[in-house]
Amino acid sequence: MQDRTKELLQSIAGINGFQPGTAFNLRMDGMGVERHSTSQVTIKQKTQGSGIDIIIQPHTKAEQVHIPVLITQSGIHDLVYNDFYIGEGAEVEIIAGCGIHNDGCDASQHDGIHTFHVGKHAKVIYREKHIGEGKGSGKRILNPTTAVHMEEGSYMEMEMTQIKGVDSTKRKTTCDLADNAKLIIFEKLMTHGEQRADSDVTVELNGADSVVQIISRSVGKDTSIQVFHPIAVGNQACRAHIQCDSILMDQSKISSIPEIAANHVDAQIVHEAAIGKINNEQLVKLQTFGLSQEEAEAVIVEGFLK
């Protein structure tokens, strides 16, 4: 594997190499490259179509699953369907992501369709990072679709990060929660140049005492465009909180369109949204320590997206 490909893999998956005791599936340029299962985690190719099934046994503890995707050639359009079956009482961390390195003139695109079936009282931490790079004029396009089905008493954290080099992304996330299920979605996004990012999140709180928290932090630079549309629907006694915070720079445009609906008298749903430029007092304070305006802006943006 070339050094740059290894660096890209390290950046999106957080690993230097696949250890024998770790469950993983590496996909590159539209094809499976390497796969490893464990006694508690089974990863297998779908019998029909492109993609894999990831099966986590009930009551599994302290397991990690890595499913990185790399695109290193120009002109590839990769479409893959991955299904996750998390057994009752299991605790697992899933680390996913896609890195596109495009030095050519044709668009390279990855569309990942992920479906999670989270069993009763299971706990899932899901981390996903998208990165685009390369010197070519070809676009780097990522369109992730995620569906989450949460059973009674389950818990899931989803951290989705995209802060570099992706020209176009259309993210669609749909979730439904049963009794006492809790979901936290944290989205971090930065766009620059002429990039565009659209993110639609819909959560149906169907169970009594279900909870969702949706947090979006984004930074728009240059002439880039962002549109964030989160929807929380309370169909039982439940709690939901949507918080969208964005920093606007240069000539970028950001739209935040939170939507809430209560279909039960005991549904408690709140949304907050704020868009604005970098605080001038923060800039001045950092510049008094010897930083240039550009350096000060970089420090503020980095802290905001942590």
Side-chain angles (χ1 to χ4, degrees):
M1 193 181 296
Q2 295 179 354
D3 290 342
R4 190 64 202 100
T5 302
K6 289 182 179 179
E7 291 174 7
L8 194 59
L9 179 61
Q10 162 67 15
S11 184
I12 63 171
I15 50 178
N16 288 310
F18 298 117
Q19 303 302 319
T22 302
F24 68 85
N25 185 87
L26 172 59
R27 184 177 179 85
M28 183 183 297
D29 295 329
M31 299 182 65
V33 174
E34 191 175 356
R35 180 181 303 136
H36 178 72
S37 298
T38 68
S39 60
Q40 299 297 312
V41 180
T42 301
I43 304 176
K44 60 182 182 179
Q45 187 71 30
K46 287 187 175 296
T47 55
Q48 294 183 345
S50 174
I52 54 176
D53 290 330
I54 301 96
I55 303 166
I56 293 139
Q57 296 299 318
H59 309 295
T60 292
K61 303 296 181 184
E63 286 272 357
Q64 276 193 344
V65 182
H66 297 270
I67 52 166
V69 174
L70 301 178
I71 294 180
T72 64
Q73 298 179 24
S74 187
I76 285 182
H77 183 179
D78 186 28
L79 173 64
V80 65
Y81 295 84
N82 295 334
D83 287 84
F84 301 80
Y85 299 91
I86 298 98
E88 181 176 353
E91 296 182 5
V92 64
E93 180 180 12
I94 300 169
I95 302 170
C98 180
I100 297 179
H101 184 96
N102 190 354
D103 283 330
C105 59
D106 297 318
S108 293
Q109 179 172 338
H110 174 72
D111 297 344
I113 317 296
H114 288 180
T115 302
F116 292 86
H117 306 270
V118 186
K120 291 182 179 180
H121 306 291
K123 181 178 180 180
V124 180
I125 308 297
Y126 177 67
R127 307 186 194 281
E128 178 185 272
K129 181 183 287 186
H130 288 162
I131 293 175
E133 62 177 27
K135 300 178 181 179
S137 59
K139 299 293 185 182
R140 293 162 288 272
I141 302 170
L142 290 165
N143 295 324
T145 298
T146 306
V148 179
H149 308 292
M150 300 184 65
E151 295 188 25
E152 179 183 350
S154 59
Y155 176 90
M156 186 167 183
E157 292 181 20
M158 303 174 66
E159 181 181 300
M160 281 97 74
T161 303
Q162 180 176 301
I163 57 174
K164 181 181 177 183
V166 179
D167 294 295
S168 174
T169 187
K170 293 182 179 179
R171 180 187 297 277
K172 184 175 178 62
T173 306
T174 58
C175 312
D176 55 80
L177 280 61
D179 293 352
N180 293 296
K182 182 175 182 180
L183 173 65
I184 299 173
I185 298 176
F186 187 21
E187 184 173 272
K188 295 186 288 185
L189 172 68
M190 183 167 69
T191 54
H192 55 87
E194 299 179 351
Q195 297 170 356
R196 180 178 178 114
D198 294 85
S199 181
D200 295 326
V201 180
T202 300
V203 180
E204 297 272 351
L205 295 109
N206 296 325
D209 298 317
S210 55
V211 177
V212 67
Q213 185 177 18
I214 303 171
I215 303 167
S216 172
R217 288 189 176 178
S218 71
V219 176
K221 296 182 176 182
D222 304 317
T223 60
S224 63
I225 297 173
Q226 299 177 17
V227 180
F228 184 52
H229 186 193
I231 303 172
V233 182
N235 296 316
Q236 291 289 338
C238 61
R239 291 182 289 122
H241 183 240
I242 299 173
Q243 180 181 340
C244 312
D245 296 308
S246 300
I247 291 178
L248 199 65
M249 302 175 69
D250 308 312
Q251 286 79 49
S252 61
K253 298 178 180 179
I254 299 177
S255 298
S256 182
I257 314 167
E259 183 178 337
I260 58 177
N263 299 321
H264 190 282
V265 68
D266 291 320
Q268 302 178 41
I269 308 179
V270 177
H271 76 71
E272 305 174 65
I275 302 173
K277 65 181 182 179
I278 291 177
N279 187 293
N280 191 58
E281 291 182 2
Q282 290 180 308
L283 279 175
V284 172
K285 184 176 180 179
L286 288 171
Q287 286 176 289
T288 61
F289 293 118
L291 274 66
S292 67
Q293 179 173 334
E294 292 76 14
E295 292 170 333
E297 288 177 348
V299 169
I300 292 170
V301 167
E302 182 179 358
F304 179 75
L305 291 174
K306 278 188 176 179

